[in-house]
Amino acid sequence: MTSVHGYFPPKTATGASALIPSPPWHYSGDLLTIEYRTDPARVRELLPEPLEPAAEDPGAVALIWADWQSCATGGRELLDPVLSQYKETFAVVRCAYRGRTYSRCVYIWVDKDFAIARGLHQGYPKKLGSIHQTRPHPYGPAPRIEAGARFGATLAAADRRLAQAVVTLREPSETGGFVNGHPMAHHRWLPSIENGEGLALDELVESGAASFEGGRPWVGDAELELFEAPTEELARLEIHEPIAAYYRQVGVVWDGGRLLESGTSGAR
């Protein structure tokens, strides 16, 4: 009998072609986070049952740019950087489930296939995009991490620009923001192979960092613009009131999640 191996397809005799390795997955990243308030009804329309709006500040949104290096245990991918480096932009809101507040990623774009595969496993709605952000550096014209430093960030998908921002740092902060500060409540959905039979996989899951470390956050101000596009709806989370912007370097380990319930989302 032939046996095939690999954590994720394609599965082969050796398993070497698998798109992603088994967890734990380790991340080092530079994050630009911009928080603002939108119409709470626009957040509510993105929350399938049984999720509800957060009790406090239900219209709060975080739009986050992240420049990542990632790897499995052992770090082999770090020495073959095409397998470790990627960028993403994601929109996070807050929600409630059985009285507990969660964060939830409602839109996310990445620029590598292995990041999309990890997202499918974790419940992130990842799509391909073009993401860029200014990188800090202690020499030359790049910004240092200091008061007055300015960082640009752009997001595009399907040849359309979706968002652009300029963040100006003001001072060190005790926090990197509050919208993305809870465990994630995500859905894992997979349609049945038989037409009209609904979902073969319908799970509400909780996940978060198995471990976390981070540098001192900096807070500042952001100039943020969102743009309409034929196949994207980020601009529906329109900017009503700025909150703050943050820069932080972080290290995160992800090592699985927890099933909250299954078969109750009402997704179509």
Side-chain angles (χ1 to χ4, degrees), residues 193-218:
I193 197 67
E194 297 186 25
N195 291 337
E197 292 302 314
L199 295 173
L201 176 67
D202 182 4
E203 293 181 342
L204 176 62
V205 299
E206 173 190 314
S207 71
S211 65
F212 173 88
E213 57 183 340
R216 183 72 180 269
W218 278 71

Side-chain angles (χ1 to χ4, degrees), residues 40-55 58 91-107 122-125 182-189 202-207 258-267:
R42 293 290 173 87
V43 174
R44 180 67 186 92
E45 70 186 19
L46 294 171
L47 301 179
E49 295 180 355
L51 301 180
E52 299 177 343
V92 176
V93 301
R94 297 186 307 151
C95 60
Y97 172 74
R98 294 188 177 179
R100 183 179 182 185
T101 301
Y102 285 87
S103 300
R104 181 177 176 89
C105 177
V106 292
Y107 300 116
Q122 297 167 309
Y124 285 86
H182 308 276
M184 308 300 293
H186 285 160
H187 278 87
R188 297 184 352 131
W189 287 318
D202 182 4
E203 293 181 342
L204 176 62
V205 299
E206 173 190 314
S207 71
R258 181 171 70 94
L259 178 66
L260 296 176
E261 58 181 79
S262 60
T264 60
S265 71

Side-chain angles (χ1 to χ4, degrees), residues 89-132:
T89 305
F90 52 109
V92 176
V93 301
R94 297 186 307 151
C95 60
Y97 172 74
R98 294 188 177 179
R100 183 179 182 185
T101 301
Y102 285 87
S103 300
R104 181 177 176 89
C105 177
V106 292
Y107 300 116
I108 180 168
W109 295 264
V110 301
D111 60 4
K112 289 289 182 69
D113 57 357
F114 63 80
I116 288 181
R118 287 197 301 227
L120 291 174
H121 179 65
Q122 297 167 309
Y124 285 86
K126 294 191 176 185
K127 302 175 71 172
L128 279 177
S130 175
I131 301 101
H132 297 279

